[in-house]
Amino acid sequence: MSTSDAPVPKPSERIGIEDFLAVDIRVGTVIAAEPFPEARKPAIKLTIDFGEVIGVKRSSAQITRHYTPETLIGRQVAAVVNFPPRQIGPMMSEVLTLGFPDAEGQVVLIAPDLPVPNGGRLF
């Protein structure tokens, strides 16, 4: 299946700019990554540095199809940093790491094309 054949969900309802601005999406650098065998679905535990203002946060991401812990160290990722923490098995996930589904529904991380300062906010 080519990327043009991938099923695409219908657009969501329109929202105002205030709704978009309420979602705080920041960039950070993965400083640690390890397998997460206790998760219900295959996942990787991430420790992400979002810079001085946000700090270092943890996340669980179901990204094992395209990534290994070793390939994630030093990589910049985008995440929602203002959702409440969520218990994922034995760990507390503090941010939601963002990605898009590939043609088979597996997560492909999103990141800036060029290096940017950790903690930069998406706008």
Side-chain angles (χ1 to χ4, degrees):
M1 179 181 290
S2 72
T3 55
S4 62
D5 296 333
V8 177
K10 292 182 180 181
S12 299
E13 278 187 42
R14 285 186 183 227
I15 61 172
I17 189 70
E18 301 81 20
D19 297 311
F20 173 75
L21 293 174
V23 181
D24 194 352
I25 300 172
R26 303 285 179 128
V27 66
T29 300
V30 177
I31 58 173
E34 60 186 278
F36 190 10
E38 305 89 354
R40 281 186 287 128
K41 294 182 180 179
I44 298 175
K45 292 181 195 178
L46 302 173
T47 304
I48 307 166
D49 181 0
F50 289 98
E52 194 173 310
V53 174
I54 305 292
V56 174
K57 302 291 182 183
R58 299 199 66 209
S59 182
S60 168
Q62 295 173 3
I63 56 175
T64 58
R65 175 74 176 268
H66 296 299
Y67 307 95
T68 63
E70 301 78 28
T71 62
L72 293 164
I73 306 297
R75 179 185 180 96
Q76 287 198 296
V77 296
V80 176
V81 299
N82 65 333
F83 284 157
R86 184 173 174 202
Q87 189 74 42
I88 308 290
M91 80 166 279
M92 187 65 70
S93 183
E94 300 172 288
V95 299
L96 175 64
T97 305
L98 300 174
F100 291 106
D102 67 11
E104 291 152 8
Q106 299 297 315
V107 178
V108 175
L109 294 171
I110 60 171
D113 286 344
L114 301 171
V116 296
N118 287 336
R121 185 169 181 171
L122 180 74
F123 59 87

